Amino acid sequence: MITLADAAATQAFGRALAAQVRPGDVIALSGQLGAGKTSIARGLLAALGLEAEAPSPSYAIVQPYDPPEVAFPVLHVDLYRIDDPDEAEELGLEDARGDSLLLVEWPERLPDAWWADALWLTLTIEADGSRGLTARVPAAWKDRWPLQATA
C-alpha cells in the first residue's frame, strides 16, 4: 500500500502517474466519496498540460480533453450516476480506448470485464486522514509499475 499524506500528496501521485500513461491506457479510480479519486485525476491532467483545474465530471459523466489543452486525448469519466451497464454503451468509451487515456471514477458501476486491462487504483481514507492506495496491475503496466514513491 502507498500512503498519501494529504490532498497535495494525492495530486502529486497523479502527476507522477502522468509520466507513465499512454493513449489507450485505462486507469480505474475506486474508493468512497472524498477518497481522492478526482485529486489523482487533477494531478495527472495538470501534468499532461491542463492549465485550469479539472472539474469533477460527476454531472457531465464524461469530460473530454484534447490537444493542445493536454498532450494527448483524455476522457475523465465518472460512472457514479450510471445505473445500468447499457447506459455506458452510449458514452463511447469503447471507441475512445484506441487513441485516448481513460480516467474512470466509480468503475465498479460496470462489470469487471470492462476493466480487464485497466490499472485499478483503490483509495481508502485511513484513521489519521491520510489516503491508502492499492493497485491491481495488468500486464500492460508491469514495466511501468510501481511508480516512485511521491509522498
Side-chain angles (χ1 to χ4, degrees):
M1 179 173 82
I2 297 170
T3 299
L4 303 169
D6 53 26
T10 305
Q11 284 195 8
F13 177 84
R15 287 191 300 275
L17 187 58
Q20 301 299 323
V21 297
R22 307 172 184 151
D25 283 342
V26 178
I27 299 174
L29 299 166
S30 182
Q32 68 192 73
L33 285 170
K37 300 179 296 294
T38 300
S39 292
I40 287 177
R42 285 179 175 149
L44 191 151
L45 286 162
L48 291 179
L50 187 66
E51 291 182 13
E53 182 174 90
S56 172
S58 293
Y59 295 103
I61 300 178
V62 177
Q63 180 67 46
Y65 299 94
D66 292 301
E69 188 176 34
V70 290
F72 52 81
V74 178
L75 293 181
H76 185 190
V77 182
D78 187 326
L79 298 175
Y80 185 74
R81 298 186 308 129
I82 296 292
D83 293 320
D84 184 328
D86 291 338
E87 293 176 62
E89 298 285 334
E90 299 170 19
L91 300 177
L93 301 181
E94 215 37 62
D95 294 336
R97 280 183 175 215
D99 66 352
S100 300
L101 166 65
L102 299 183
L103 297 175
V104 183
E105 297 186 35
W106 299 98
E108 56 276 351
R109 305 289 280 176
L110 296 179
D112 283 346
W114 276 73
W115 316 119
D117 61 342
L119 174 64
W120 187 291
L121 303 177
T122 300
L123 290 149
T124 56
I125 300 173
E126 301 301 313
D128 65 0
S130 68
R131 301 307 190 253
L133 184 142
T134 56
R136 185 172 75 200
V137 182
W141 276 84
K142 294 294 184 189
D143 64 337
R144 298 182 273 166
W145 191 267
L147 298 180
Q148 295 298 319
T150 58

